[in-house]
Amino acid sequence: MVAPNVKAETMRLMDRRSALEAEMDAIIAALSAPGGAGITGSLVDAEGFPRADIDIPAVLAQRRKLGELRNDHKDVTSKIEKNLEVLHSTKLTRNEQSIPRSSGISAPLHGGLSQNDPMEEDVVTRLPFAIIDDIADGSPAALDGLLLGDEIVKFGSVEAGGRLQERLVSEAVSNEDNQVSLLIIRQGSPMNLTITPRKWHGRGLMGCHFRIL
């Protein structure tokens, strides 16, 4: 079957992306250490001479490596997005091709899986459709345990599909002051969380931003 193979590849790509992010974070931390040159800081002093307080060749090597990692991260993310599109379209196509029998049971799909087979559903629903790319300190999202970089697999009744931003907002508004169950992927591992959308001193009911993948 195509979909499970694509799913396995996507999970490997997600692991690769996490590894790239960890490596980038380490380089950024080293460059940004007190007294360091920073990511884009000058390597010469006020008089135009090479700075004597830093290892310039090492800094240049770290900056070059960081640029390479960022390019790799962009490529991996692009592949993940394309695979997610394939998985979503595969699910829709198979649902359309299912033919009800007289007994009311769906006919088997490719590979012998029925439309409601849990393995088939897992192909798509276990993959994230959004990522938390901004979260405010003291916000409901932060206080309830969401972290920057968490990947959203399910938010209440919202899963992969169309009009995701609109549906996420609607889900939060309709559940104001009520707990909403989330299924997320954090550093490659699935987790269940609950968040309570509610008014606070900042914008919105949660204080975070979902970037659709």
Side-chain angles (χ1 to χ4, degrees):
M1 294 176 61
V2 175
N5 292 336
V6 175
K7 178 189 175 184
E9 180 190 11
T10 303
M11 298 309 294
R12 287 194 296 270
L13 287 169
M14 288 179 176
D15 289 340
R16 172 60 177 159
R17 183 170 65 178
S18 295
L20 289 170
E21 290 169 350
E23 194 171 355
M24 287 190 293
D25 288 344
I27 293 176
I28 292 171
L31 289 172
S32 303
I39 299 174
T40 59
S42 177
L43 302 182
V44 298
D45 59 23
E47 297 179 353
F49 292 101
R51 288 176 56 178
D53 61 327
I54 58 174
D55 185 342
I56 292 179
V59 170
L60 291 173
Q62 287 177 314
R63 289 179 175 179
R64 182 169 57 252
K65 181 63 174 179
L66 182 60
E68 294 171 355
L69 291 171
R70 283 174 168 168
N71 288 334
D72 290 344
H73 186 273
K74 182 178 179 180
D75 291 341
V76 169
T77 298
S78 177
K79 291 177 181 178
I80 290 173
E81 292 173 351
K82 290 179 180 178
N83 281 3
L84 289 174
E85 290 177 1
V86 171
L87 289 168
H88 296 163
S89 63
T90 298
K91 181 180 180 182
L92 291 174
T93 300
R94 288 179 176 173
N95 285 346
E96 291 172 356
Q97 290 177 345
S98 63
I99 303 174
R101 294 177 177 174
S102 58
S103 61
I105 300 175
S106 297
L109 302 178
H110 300 297
L113 291 174
S114 68
Q115 180 179 359
N116 296 321
D117 190 292
M119 290 179 61
E120 183 65 19
E121 291 297 318
D122 182 69
V123 169
V124 175
T125 58
R126 298 301 94 181
L127 292 172
F129 64 83
I131 187 170
I132 302 296
D133 65 354
D134 187 30
I135 187 166
D137 292 338
S139 65
L143 294 175
D144 289 352
L146 274 176
L147 298 178
L148 194 67
D150 282 347
E151 296 173 311
I152 310 302
V153 177
K154 187 173 183 180
F155 180 85
S157 63
V158 179
E159 298 184 64
R163 302 182 298 108
L164 285 169
Q165 287 286 8
E166 177 184 337
R167 290 162 58 201
L168 286 168
V169 172
S170 176
E171 189 76 9
V173 171
S174 62
N175 285 284
E176 183 176 352
D177 295 324
N178 294 308
Q179 288 189 338
V180 177
S181 297
L182 282 77
L183 175 59
I184 68 170
I185 294 177
R186 178 176 294 169
Q187 297 181 345
S189 300
M191 292 181 59
N192 290 296
L193 289 177
T194 58
I195 182 173
T196 302
R198 56 194 183 272
K199 291 183 174 64
W200 62 299
H201 60 80
R203 294 181 58 186
L205 295 176
M206 294 188 296
C208 66
H209 181 262
F210 296 85
R211 178 170 63 83
I212 305 302
L213 297 175

XYZ file of all heavy atoms in Angstrom, residues 1-17 76 79-80 82-84 86-88 90 94 119-120 122-128 185 188:
313
model
N 0.834 -1.199 0.000
C 0.000 0.000 0.000
C 0.872 1.254 0.000
O 1.921 1.299 0.617
C -0.904 0.018 1.234
C -1.948 -1.084 1.251
S -2.876 -1.036 2.783
C -3.587 0.586 2.657
N 0.399 2.276 -0.676
C 1.179 3.500 -0.785
C 1.157 4.287 0.512
O 2.178 4.732 1.012
C 0.651 4.376 -1.941
C 1.385 5.706 -1.964
C 0.826 3.649 -3.266
N -0.040 4.463 1.090
C -0.180 5.360 2.231
C 0.684 4.981 3.423
O 1.367 5.834 3.980
C -1.650 5.455 2.630
N 0.686 3.695 3.869
C 1.546 3.357 5.006
C 3.014 3.631 4.737
O 3.756 4.037 5.630
C 1.270 1.865 5.209
C -0.106 1.659 4.671
C -0.173 2.561 3.476
N 3.476 3.377 3.476
C 4.865 3.664 3.141
C 5.149 5.156 3.240
O 6.198 5.575 3.728
C 5.182 3.166 1.727
C 5.159 1.645 1.638
O 5.337 0.963 2.640
N 4.925 1.133 0.441
N 4.213 5.964 2.757
C 4.376 7.416 2.839
C 4.348 7.863 4.292
O 5.100 8.743 4.705
C 3.269 8.134 2.033
C 3.358 9.640 2.228
C 3.388 7.791 0.554
N 3.482 7.244 5.083
C 3.413 7.596 6.500
C 4.737 7.302 7.193
O 5.254 8.130 7.949
C 2.294 6.825 7.187
C 2.207 7.118 8.683
C 1.238 6.197 9.379
C 1.266 6.446 10.887
N 0.405 5.515 11.629
N 5.304 6.119 6.932
C 6.574 5.751 7.558
C 7.679 6.722 7.148
O 8.494 7.144 7.976
C 6.948 4.322 7.168
N 7.691 7.085 5.860
C 8.689 8.038 5.388
C 8.496 9.394 6.062
O 9.468 10.056 6.442
C 8.588 8.203 3.868
C 9.601 9.197 3.310
C 9.350 9.544 1.854
O 8.278 9.188 1.330
O 10.215 10.194 1.255
N 7.231 9.795 6.231
C 6.943 11.082 6.856
C 7.413 11.107 8.304
O 7.984 12.101 8.763
C 5.434 11.382 6.794
O 5.012 11.357 5.426
C 5.129 12.751 7.382
N 7.193 10.029 9.027
C 7.649 9.974 10.412
C 9.175 10.031 10.484
O 9.738 10.672 11.373
C 7.127 8.705 11.091
C 5.603 8.614 11.162
S 4.807 10.087 11.860
C 5.395 10.023 13.548
N 9.848 9.379 9.531
C 11.318 9.461 9.496
C 11.768 10.890 9.202
O 12.742 11.386 9.791
C 11.882 8.503 8.436
C 11.806 7.029 8.829
C 12.673 6.174 7.910
N 12.192 6.193 6.538
C 11.317 5.336 6.044
N 10.806 4.393 6.820
N 10.945 5.404 4.776
N 11.053 11.558 8.294
C 11.389 12.946 7.981
C 11.173 13.848 9.191
O 11.947 14.784 9.430
C 10.542 13.432 6.803
C 10.911 12.872 5.428
C 9.840 13.230 4.403
C 12.270 13.394 4.979
N 10.123 13.574 9.959
C 9.872 14.368 11.162
C 10.988 14.178 12.184
O 11.414 15.128 12.850
C 8.520 13.994 11.767
C 7.332 14.486 10.957
S 5.761 13.998 11.691
C 4.617 14.831 10.580
N 11.465 12.941 12.303
C 12.596 12.689 13.200
C 13.831 13.443 12.713
O 14.589 14.009 13.516
C 12.901 11.191 13.266
C 11.830 10.414 14.022
O 11.081 11.043 14.793
O 11.744 9.189 13.832
N 14.034 13.427 11.397
C 15.171 14.143 10.814
C 15.048 15.639 11.075
O 16.034 16.304 11.422
C 15.224 13.864 9.307
C 16.237 14.695 8.518
C 17.655 14.485 8.989
N 18.602 15.227 8.182
C 19.819 15.560 8.585
N 20.239 15.206 9.792
N 20.628 16.237 7.797
N 13.837 16.175 10.924
C 13.631 17.602 11.170
C 13.914 17.951 12.627
O 14.528 18.982 12.924
C 12.203 18.010 10.792
C 11.945 19.502 10.946
C 10.616 19.910 10.351
N 9.488 19.319 11.051
C 8.215 19.559 10.743
N 7.925 20.359 9.730
N 7.233 18.995 11.416
N 13.440 19.401 4.134
C 12.737 18.330 4.847
C 11.291 18.734 5.122
O 10.362 17.937 4.951
C 13.467 17.984 6.161
C 12.610 17.067 7.032
C 14.798 17.310 5.861
N 9.218 18.360 2.042
C 8.887 16.960 1.765
C 7.776 16.470 2.686
O 6.884 15.723 2.263
C 10.132 16.095 1.933
C 11.191 16.322 0.859
C 12.435 15.483 1.119
C 13.500 15.735 0.067
N 14.746 14.971 0.333
N 7.818 16.884 3.950
C 6.772 16.492 4.898
C 5.420 17.021 4.435
O 4.415 16.303 4.446
C 7.101 17.015 6.311
C 8.300 16.260 6.891
C 5.892 16.870 7.244
C 8.809 16.819 8.199
N 4.461 17.791 1.419
C 4.012 17.070 0.222
C 3.464 15.691 0.595
O 2.454 15.238 0.044
C 5.162 16.937 -0.770
C 5.560 18.255 -1.431
C 6.731 18.076 -2.384
C 7.116 19.403 -3.025
N 8.289 19.269 -3.926
N 4.135 15.011 1.526
C 3.656 13.695 1.953
C 2.303 13.791 2.639
O 1.435 12.931 2.459
C 4.670 13.050 2.899
C 5.850 12.450 2.157
O 5.947 12.564 0.939
N 6.748 11.817 2.881
N 2.110 14.833 3.437
C 0.825 15.013 4.102
C -0.288 15.222 3.078
O -1.401 14.711 3.241
C 0.887 16.198 5.069
C 1.728 15.989 6.333
C 1.819 17.282 7.124
C 1.151 14.884 7.200
N -0.320 13.979 0.090
C -0.573 12.664 -0.505
C -1.455 11.824 0.405
O -2.414 11.187 -0.037
C 0.761 11.933 -0.777
C 0.505 10.482 -1.178
C 1.545 12.645 -1.873
N -1.142 11.819 1.691
C -1.912 11.020 2.642
C -3.352 11.499 2.732
O -4.287 10.701 2.761
C -1.247 11.068 4.018
C 0.073 10.297 4.128
C 0.790 10.650 5.415
C -0.168 8.800 4.063
N -3.535 12.806 2.772
C -4.892 13.345 2.859
C -5.690 13.023 1.597
O -6.856 12.629 1.663
C -4.840 14.855 3.078
C -4.207 15.234 4.380
N -3.748 16.509 4.645
C -3.948 14.505 5.497
C -3.230 16.537 5.860
N -3.336 15.341 6.392
N -5.137 10.562 -0.443
C -5.350 9.115 -0.491
C -6.574 8.724 0.311
O -7.398 7.914 -0.119
C -4.119 8.370 0.054
O -2.992 8.663 -0.778
C -4.355 6.868 0.064
N -9.990 7.069 -1.342
C -10.468 5.753 -0.927
C -11.876 5.824 -0.366
O -12.676 4.917 -0.558
C -9.501 5.157 0.088
C -8.196 4.732 -0.568
C -7.226 4.168 0.428
N -6.042 3.683 -0.267
C -4.951 3.251 0.334
N -4.891 3.235 1.646
N -3.918 2.828 -0.367
N -6.689 0.693 11.055
C -5.349 0.875 10.510
C -5.363 1.910 9.408
O -4.451 2.722 9.277
C -4.808 -0.451 9.973
C -4.474 -1.464 11.050
S -3.886 -3.001 10.335
C -2.422 -2.441 9.476
N -6.414 1.892 8.584
C -6.513 2.857 7.501
C -6.700 4.262 8.056
O -6.101 5.221 7.582
C -7.690 2.492 6.592
C -7.856 3.390 5.383
C -6.703 3.280 4.413
O -5.965 2.289 4.479
O -6.538 4.202 3.617
N -5.655 5.352 10.870
C -4.428 5.768 11.532
C -3.424 6.365 10.563
O -2.595 7.178 10.939
C -3.804 4.564 12.245
C -2.547 4.951 13.006
O -2.663 5.671 14.010
O -1.461 4.542 12.582
N -3.517 5.967 9.280
C -2.582 6.477 8.282
C -2.585 7.987 8.253
O -1.547 8.628 8.167
C -2.951 5.917 6.886
C -2.169 6.634 5.803
C -2.679 4.424 6.838
N -3.766 8.600 8.344
C -3.862 10.044 8.234
C -4.000 10.721 9.583
O -3.348 11.701 9.875
C -5.057 10.433 7.327
C -5.244 11.936 7.314
C -4.819 9.927 5.920
N -4.858 10.178 10.452
C -5.181 10.892 11.677
C -4.036 10.935 12.665
O -4.071 11.723 13.600
C -6.408 10.264 12.358
O -6.137 8.881 12.634
C -7.631 10.374 11.468
N -3.011 10.106 12.507
C -1.878 10.175 13.422
C -0.853 11.212 12.979
O 0.152 11.387 13.634
C -1.192 8.815 13.533
C -2.053 7.685 14.082
C -2.581 7.965 15.468
N -3.912 8.557 15.417
C -4.597 8.912 16.481
N -4.090 8.779 17.683
N -5.803 9.423 16.361
N -1.076 11.875 11.874
C -0.133 12.863 11.373
C -0.614 14.270 11.710
O -1.805 14.553 11.667
C 0.034 12.719 9.861
C 0.740 11.433 9.419
C 0.669 11.292 7.910
C 2.188 11.434 9.880
N 0.302 15.167 12.058
C -0.098 16.524 12.444
C -0.556 17.356 11.256
O -0.105 17.155 10.132
C 1.185 17.098 13.054
C 2.284 16.359 12.373
C 1.761 14.967 12.152
N 2.101 15.923 18.891
C 3.389 15.249 18.794
C 4.433 16.226 19.304
O 4.556 17.341 18.796
C 3.710 14.819 17.354
C 2.727 13.740 16.891
C 5.140 14.296 17.255
C 2.920 13.309 15.454
N 8.716 14.183 18.563
C 8.567 12.862 17.973
C 7.670 11.902 18.720
O 7.400 10.806 18.230
